[in-house]
């Protein structure tokens, strides 16, 4: 059975465009994604300015995509090569169902 997953990337605002560019270099694996502005909280955050220090959060982007589970390792390896040493954090979760609201949902 084909397993689909949501791969989530939490990236610093400063490298989001470059990460998106690298994702689009893999059209056979990634057909598209969604980017959402977010805030990063926690002890591993590196504040880039006084505003972030006062707020206690860093400006981040959350990039979400659905892809085959078997491709996740290759995408992560590609990103690790291109963005080694950055604060790119990722996680993957299984997808139970997905689809567009105007169409019938697809169980995956």
């Amino acid at each position: 059975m084909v397993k689909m997953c949501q791969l989530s990337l939490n990236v610093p605002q400063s490298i989001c465009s470059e990460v998106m560019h690298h994702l689009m270099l893999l059209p056979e694996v990634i057909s598209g994604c969604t980017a959402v502005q977010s805030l990063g909280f926690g002890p591993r955050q590196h504040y880039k300015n006084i505003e972030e220090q006062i707020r206690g959060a860093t400006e981040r982007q959350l990039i979400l995509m659905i892809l085959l589970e078997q491709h996740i390792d290759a995408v992560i390896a590609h990103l690790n090569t291109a963005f080694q040493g950055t604060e790119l954090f990722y996680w993957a979760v299984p997808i139970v169902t997905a689809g567009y609201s105007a169409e019938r949902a697809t169980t995956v």
Side-chain angles (χ1 to χ4, degrees), residues 3-7 65-67 93-98 106-108:
K3 291 185 180 180
M4 301 294 288
C5 288
Q6 175 183 305
L7 178 60
M65 66 203 85
I66 296 175
L67 62 154
V93 294
I95 297 294
V96 176
T97 187
T106 304
T107 303
V108 289

Side-chain angles (χ1 to χ4, degrees), residues 46-97:
H46 294 93
Y47 305 115
K48 69 177 183 186
N49 57 45
I50 191 73
E51 182 182 330
E52 287 185 347
Q53 289 177 340
I54 292 168
R55 183 177 43 212
T58 58
E59 293 179 4
R60 313 279 294 178
Q61 287 281 325
L62 189 58
I63 302 171
L64 311 167
M65 66 203 85
I66 296 175
L67 62 154
L68 293 172
E69 180 182 39
Q70 68 194 40
H71 294 308
I72 290 174
D73 288 341
V75 172
I76 297 304
H78 177 82
L79 293 172
N80 281 342
T81 299
F83 298 98
Q84 185 175 13
T86 65
E87 298 171 29
L88 189 152
F89 182 78
Y90 65 90
W91 65 95
V93 294
I95 297 294
V96 176
T97 187

Side-chain angles (χ1 to χ4, degrees), residues 32-45:
C33 60
T34 299
V36 181
Q37 288 185 343
S38 61
L39 295 174
F41 297 88
R44 293 188 61 142
Q45 302 303 312

Side-chain angles (χ1 to χ4, degrees), residues 2-53:
V2 175
K3 291 185 180 180
M4 301 294 288
C5 288
Q6 175 183 305
L7 178 60
S8 302
L9 307 174
N10 184 321
V11 302
Q13 184 82 20
S14 61
I15 64 169
C16 182
S17 294
E18 192 174 350
V19 171
M20 295 288 280
H21 171 75
H22 276 270
L23 293 174
M24 295 304 107
L25 293 175
L26 305 168
E28 65 284 352
V29 175
I30 300 169
S31 61
C33 60
T34 299
V36 181
Q37 288 185 343
S38 61
L39 295 174
F41 297 88
R44 293 188 61 142
Q45 302 303 312
H46 294 93
Y47 305 115
K48 69 177 183 186
N49 57 45
I50 191 73
E51 182 182 330
E52 287 185 347
Q53 289 177 340

